[in-house]
Amino acid sequence: MGRSVLLIEDEPNIIEAISFLLERDGWTVRLHTEGEGAVEAVAAASPDVVVLDVMLPGRSGFDILKELRQGAARPDLPVLMLTARGQTKDRELAHSYGVSCFMTKPFSNAQMLQTVRDLAEGRAPPADP
Amino acid sequence: MSEGDDKEVGPKAEHKPGRTTFLERSVYRRRRLIDAIKLLPVLGACLFLLPALILGGETGSTALRLVYFFFMWIVLIMLCAVLVRNLPAEPDD
Amino acid sequence: MVTFNILVTVAVAYVVALFVIAFYADRSARRGGNKWLRSPLTYTLSLSVYCTAWTFYGAVGNAARSGLEYLTIYLGPTLVFFAFWVLLRKLVRIGRAERITSIADLISSRFGKSTGLAVLVTSLAVMGTTPYIALQLQSVALSFAAFAPEGGDVNATALWVAAGLALFTILFGTRNLDANERHHGVVTAIAVEAVVKLVALLAVGMFVVWGVSGGLSDTLQIIESSPVAEWQPDAGRWVGMTFLSAAAVICLPRMFQVMVVENEDERHLTVASWAFPLYLLLISLFVLPIAAVGLAVLPEGANPDLFVVTLPLALDQEMLAMLAFLGGFSSATSMVIVAAIALSTMVSNHIVLPLWLSLQGPRATVSGDVRGVMILSRRLSIGAVLALGYAYFRVTGGTAALASIGLVSFAGVAQIMPALLGGLYWRGATRRGALAGLIVGFAVWGYTLFVPAIGLLPATIMEAGPLGLAWLRPQALFGMTGVDPLVHSIFWSIALNSVAFLAVSLVTFPSPIERLQSAAFVHVFERGGGGAGYVGGVAETEDLLVMAQRLLGAREAQALFQGAAAEQGKTGYLPDPSPEFVALLERELAGSVGAATAHAMVRQIDGNASVSVQDLLAVADESAQMLEYSSQLEAKSKELEQTARQLRDANEKLTALSVQKDDFLSQISHELRTPMTSIRSFSEFLMEGGMKAADRVRYSNIIHDESIRLTRLLDDLLDLSFLESGQVVLNAQVTALDALLERAVSSAGVGGLAVTRAPGGEGVMLRTDSDRLSQVFINLISNAQKYCDAETPELVISVRRSGDQVDIDFVDNGSGIPRDQESLIFEKFSRLSDHSSAGSAGLGLAICREVMARLGGTVHYVPGQGGAAFRVSLPLEPEMVAV
């Protein structure tokens, strides 16, 4: 199918889980494991969907999201944000920066997969789980 | 008991800032001068009144007494003048 | 031959000269003054109003009759001026601080602004001074007569003199009501007169000693052989008269006027302390020689009270006699002028004005109106005082020797002294006490001295006592006989006066305003400011503001004052206390304190040019509940403010704590959710089934590891929470440090880390909780395992004793911790962002720090060791923090 996801995440076990989940569904999963250079990685990979963790070494996911939305190249790029902190103010912040979907860890595999699919097809994902 | 000197009584005095045991030399001098000034009327009263009390009713030379009183008088005046002239300008009170 | 007309011409010319001097001095003072006017010399010379015609003429008469006794009249004041530091300085300071206008004002002000006391002291002063003024008129008239027996009627002369003095006093004594009651013209004229009388007396004295007697020793010879030498000192009279003159110099209204009211600068007292005694010495120096020579030279029966003039006349020294006449004239006039000013101030302020105001009713609050009345009242009072003096002269003229009236007068005003001294030094003195003392003293003085002296008591009472009660004989009270009548009267009047004053003060209770005033008077030197540079307006307005704030409320009062200041063209909250402003303020205050304001208005006008706090407090005194209420409100609002501040502080603390708590929770959430995410995700995969066996094993392992990670995290959290809350039980035991380290290294499991233990210094025995210490070591070693980023990671553990503590260093060969993060590493969850490695909850170092604190030691990061370096320090005899 050729659909690709860029996963920006630093926890090895979570990387492994999400990669297994998506690759099994036929996605090409590219990986970036730190905050630094994430924006460039997005530009280079030009994925259909970006899955972005909030707590990253070097740079916070919010910063990266902000820069992605400011970059004129793909203002409508679907970005799924993941956080383990689970505070409402984080959710509000992410929405104010223009996140496509905001998801709290731990997530169910089915939900994660469905969200990525929806985002890629331009469907509005169900309200933030 | 007089006020404005270095011996006020009462609780207020104890909390006055600068009430230290050891004073600057000039401050100490000033206080002792004030003590001397305070003693002056006592000395004057002794010199002026005691002769009359002691010699009351006795006969004596009026001329001698005249000389005595005026001599003591002028001595006290000079003493007073010397004391107040040496009193430095008041630092606080 | 000096004719009466020449004498009159000279006298008039002299008076005109005085007018001119006074006029220019007044004008010069209004233009900012000249130095001479404000010099201590002028002040000292003006004090010489003490030396009246009684001194000038009467002292010689006294010496002729009673030898050296006349000296006591000068020795008393001398002692008082030597005592200036404790007495006069305080009097002057209070006079300035409280804007005292007279001795009656002082007594009244001290005892709660009592009108009764003011009237009483004023009456006393008038009774004591009127005979004295009569005396001056008589002496001037007699000295005229001595010159020119053919010329005119003695009574007419006295009348002219009285009229002239009234005119002078009205002209120069009532010009400047507003400017704090000082009369520069008068003071300067008095100072000039002081010089004239001193020069005159010295000239006559020198003429007598060197011109007549032929030198000092010859003069002493003449004295020795003269009748004056027959006098021998009487101890009672000597001490009594010294005391009397000392009391008089403080209490005489005219002395109070020049010494306190007219005082320009407190420091002038310092000079006057010796210069005035010197003046007195010079004035009295030739008195005895003149008396002795007069008795020897002049025909028997010549009036010794006029020797000063008649002696030069008899020896054909007309110019000298003229000078002596002018000296006597100066003495008399200066006394009358100052006494008239002082008395008229008292009469006008304490009797006439209050009466007028009470007759006027509430309309009296128009201030301009009152000022006109005030000046008129002063002028009329001066006229009345002199008329009274003249009347007294006409009634009793020539009946008593000059000296005796002087002493009677002294004894009268001396009755003020107990109340005055008590008021200055004793806070417990009350208004009723002062009133009782004054009335008793006054009555006893009148009965034992004044009435007998003017010959009003019938001989039967004098000899047998009233109603035949012998113990009430005026000159032998309670059977005290054989004592000089003057000493007798002084003794009983002052003693009974003091006893009444003290006793009544002790049993009565002072009103609030009295207590306020007693503090202001007794502790005048402890008040801030004051001193040489008296700042009139500002301090008072500030006091007014304080007062007004209490009654009107802070914001309203400030607005009122600010508005008034703006109207005067000033910025800030302190307008000048102009009559308009004070009137405005009083209207405002009336709304708060009601009817008492009319009373305050009276207070404002009587005595002080501007209203003082005490006046307004007098108002508040009437509505004491109001003040009480407002101070309660004040206390309450203070309390509220305090509570609010505490709440604000607590709130800030809570906010800070809440931020910390949020951060912490958010961190915990992250640390817990991260392993959960893996566990949930992989367990869902496993539940789906149908995956390769290798994957299944692998995923099971991940789940297993993450579960352990979660468990460890929870353990650490609980541990830290126990440590922080101090609920840890420590088991102290003696342990060898090297064994402990050995155990820690092996249980941490070195992994890829090469652990080197530097030998030496490890043979240390520690008394500590070895499990806990071991936990710290393990944490530090695993920290190095996780974060040491060197190719071949190494950790060197070395032990060193330094002083009474032991240091254990853990140094790895990694890149260490960036300087800006050194301070963070011991915080919870401070896992440094550069090192992304699973398995750390970031609580290890925080736990280390808590444990070490419990064990009485420390753990620090040591920078500059070529890698991450931690130093654990423990005291060798640790005081373990047992909780």
Side-chain angles (χ1 to χ4, degrees), chain A residues 12-95:
Chain A
N13 289 336
I14 296 177
I15 292 171
E16 182 155 1
I18 294 177
S19 302
F20 180 79
L21 177 69
L22 293 178
E23 278 168 359
R24 209 173 52 170
D25 195 47
W27 295 78
T28 310
V29 179
R30 285 173 229 269
L31 189 63
H32 189 80
T33 59
E34 54 182 31
E36 307 274 353
V39 177
E40 291 77 8
V42 172
S46 107
D48 294 300
V49 177
V50 173
V51 177
L52 176 62
D53 188 25
V54 172
M55 299 245 309
L56 289 167
R59 200 175 177 197
S60 101
F62 292 121
D63 268 9
I64 296 164
L65 172 65
K66 203 164 144 192
E67 197 175 331
L68 284 177
R69 288 295 181 233
Q70 279 164 358
R74 290 186 61 191
D76 55 346
L77 173 70
V79 175
L80 167 61
M81 222 168 181
L82 297 177
T83 181
R85 291 206 299 203
Q87 286 197 343
T88 46
K89 68 173 183 190
D90 286 353
R91 181 183 298 274
E92 283 156 16
L93 193 62
H95 279 291

Side-chain angles (χ1 to χ4, degrees), chain A residues 10-14 16-18 20-21 24 53 55-58 83-87 89-90 104-111, chain C residues 662-663 665-667 669-670 673-674 676-678 680-682 684-685 688 691 695 698-699 702 706 709 831 833-834 836-838:
Chain A
D10 65 327
E11 278 288 328
N13 289 336
I14 296 177
E16 182 155 1
I18 294 177
F20 180 79
L21 177 69
R24 209 173 52 170
D53 188 25
M55 299 245 309
L56 289 167
T83 181
R85 291 206 299 203
Q87 286 197 343
K89 68 173 183 190
D90 286 353
T104 307
K105 296 174 184 176
F107 46 81
S108 85
N109 289 344
Q111 194 182 19
Chain C
D662 282 358
D663 285 355
L665 284 180
S666 154
Q667 293 276 15
S669 163
H670 181 262
R673 280 169 191 270
T674 301
M676 284 295 199
T677 309
S678 310
R680 179 170 178 184
S681 200
F682 285 114
E684 280 180 17
F685 291 141
E688 289 168 14
M691 60 175 57
D695 281 347
R698 183 173 155 68
Y699 295 159
I702 289 178
E706 292 286 32
R709 178 177 162 191
R831 192 158 51 127
S833 47
D834 291 341
S836 70
S837 167

Side-chain angles (χ1 to χ4, degrees), chain C residues 200-216:
Chain C
L201 207 53
L202 286 179
V204 174
M206 286 185 209
F207 166 70
V208 164
V209 171
W210 283 282
V212 181
S213 311
L216 275 180

Side-chain angles (χ1 to χ4, degrees), chain C residues 318-394:
Chain C
E318 289 202 341
M319 292 316 287
L320 189 60
M322 184 81 83
L323 183 61
F325 167 79
L326 282 184
F329 189 70
S330 295
S331 311
T333 52
S334 56
M335 180 272 161
V336 174
I337 291 165
V338 179
I341 290 178
L343 285 185
S344 73
T345 307
M346 288 192 226
V347 170
S348 164
N349 283 0
H350 302 307
I351 296 174
V352 178
L353 267 178
L355 275 179
W356 183 81
L357 281 166
S358 66
L359 289 178
Q360 288 290 306
R363 284 193 298 118
T365 44
V366 187
S367 57
D369 194 8
V370 172
R371 293 182 49 71
V373 171
M374 194 158 173
I375 292 183
L376 185 66
S377 147
R378 290 262 175 103
R379 291 184 174 160
L380 291 178
S381 300
I382 289 172
V385 164
L386 279 161
L388 209 58
Y390 178 70
Y392 191 92
F393 163 71
R394 285 301 299 272

